[in-house]
């Protein structure tokens, strides 16, 4: 979970695998308590969103199981 300034915003990227259906589920959750930020927080805000994008671009590696 990524957090911005004591919980003003948070982001969660969840990847789950269901063994019964052999499906991968990916969900992203974004929550904010404010939509207005002072100019002096813009650099940190940009960094937060860049980290969100990095999380979303992480690769999923599938490995074939040998029996």
């Amino acid at each position: 979970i990524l957090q911005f300034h004591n919980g003003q915003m948070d982001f969660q990227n969840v990847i789950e695998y269901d063994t019964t259906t052999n499906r991968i589920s990916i969900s992203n959750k974004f929550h904010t308590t404010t939509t207005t930020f002072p100019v002096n927080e813009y650099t940190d805000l940009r960094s937060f969103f860049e980290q969100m994008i990095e999380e979303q671009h992480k690769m999923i590696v599938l490995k074939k199981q040998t029996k």
Side-chain angles (χ1 to χ4, degrees), residues 19-55:
T19 56
T20 57
T21 61
N22 287 329
R23 291 184 184 214
I24 297 172
S25 173
I26 302 170
S27 64
N28 295 291
K29 297 176 184 178
F30 174 75
H31 177 259
T32 183
T33 59
T34 185
T35 56
T36 306
F37 297 92
V39 172
N40 64 338
E41 291 184 0
Y42 283 8
T43 302
D44 293 338
L45 189 61
R46 180 182 178 100
S47 175
F48 178 78
F49 280 100
E50 286 173 348
Q51 290 177 23
M52 281 177 49
I53 292 168
E54 285 177 20
E55 284 292 317

